[in-house]
Amino acid sequence: MTEVSSLTGRLLVATPALADPNFDRAVVLLLDHDEEGSLGVVLNRPTPVGVGDILQSWAALAGEPGVVFQGGPVSLDSALGVAVVPGEPHESGGDPWAGDGPLGWRRVHGAIGLVDLEAPPELLATVLGSLRIFAGYSGWGPGQLEDELVEGAWYVVESEPGDVSSPDPQQLWRAVLRRQRNELAMVATYPDDPSLN
């Protein structure tokens, strides 16, 4: 078996050629990626359901829009919390949350991490920079994502902490592509329906 280079913390941006309606113009943050498979959440699928409707205790900490996002087609009855915990780098230039980070939060990549939604929100209230709640997730079995990458279904780009809490999630696909410093920036202009050109 070939060694898998981890893409944890990176974004998968759906190419216009991706035919799966679950991922049309999706921007997926990879929370875990190794030889056993991949797991991520779609950052740009807000639902009409308010966070307070399902997780009242976390509603005050959720960023705008204060709704639940559909993280993907798998386990829609489960919730995941993804949050940014900003911090000052150590004098050594190292990571501000080297080690475990704040109680109730587990680092995924940089300042982005998973929130333990079973923990009392007060544990994180003073350190969270932003919080999004996702219903369900996107998952790939061993080698499945790598096959999709070879087929050209996804662009892989660096994430930024602000992607998790974009105030205009419906525009995230274009915004992420537009900030790329290569030919991907041009893909941001791809029409929603190419047949209308």
Side-chain angles (χ1 to χ4, degrees), residues 53-88:
D53 296 340
I54 61 163
L55 290 170
Q56 179 59 46
S57 61
W58 289 97
L61 297 178
E64 289 299 321
V67 298
V68 175
F69 282 65
Q70 183 175 339
V74 183
S75 293
L76 290 172
D77 58 346
S78 65
L80 280 171
V82 177
V84 173
V85 173
E88 294 298 319

Side-chain angles (χ1 to χ4, degrees), residues 3-4 6-8 10 12 29-30 39 42 51-52 56 73 92 105 113-114 152 160 167 172 182 185 194 196:
E3 185 177 320
V4 174
S6 180
L7 300 176
T8 298
R10 311 268 309 268
L12 299 177
L29 172 66
L30 281 176
L39 181 141
V42 179
V51 172
Q56 179 59 46
S92 64
W105 180 82
L114 286 167
E160 294 181 1
L172 191 60
N182 53 32
L196 297 179

Side-chain angles (χ1 to χ4, degrees), residues 35-169:
E35 64 281 343
E36 295 177 20
S38 306
L39 181 141
V41 289
V42 179
L43 297 177
N44 58 337
R45 295 279 191 275
T47 71
V49 179
V51 172
D53 296 340
I54 61 163
L55 290 170
Q56 179 59 46
S57 61
W58 289 97
L61 297 178
E64 289 299 321
V67 298
V68 175
F69 282 65
Q70 183 175 339
V74 183
S75 293
L76 290 172
D77 58 346
S78 65
L80 280 171
V82 177
V84 173
V85 173
E88 294 298 319
H90 291 302
E91 289 177 18
S92 64
D95 202 330
W97 298 111
D100 296 335
L103 196 60
W105 180 82
R106 181 179 61 84
R107 171 189 323 290
V108 169
H109 177 76
I112 301 167
L114 286 167
V115 172
D116 178 359
L117 296 175
E118 300 293 321
E122 303 79 47
L123 284 178
L124 291 168
T126 60
V127 295
L128 285 186
S130 63
L131 169 69
R132 280 273 155 86
I133 303 295
F134 297 90
Y137 63 90
S138 304
W140 295 264
Q144 186 180 2
L145 178 57
E146 288 73 17
D147 290 345
E148 290 182 16
L149 292 173
V150 169
E151 292 165 7
W154 301 99
Y155 303 120
V156 179
V157 301
E158 294 297 325
S159 64
E160 294 181 1
D163 296 334
V164 172
S165 58
S166 172
D168 192 5

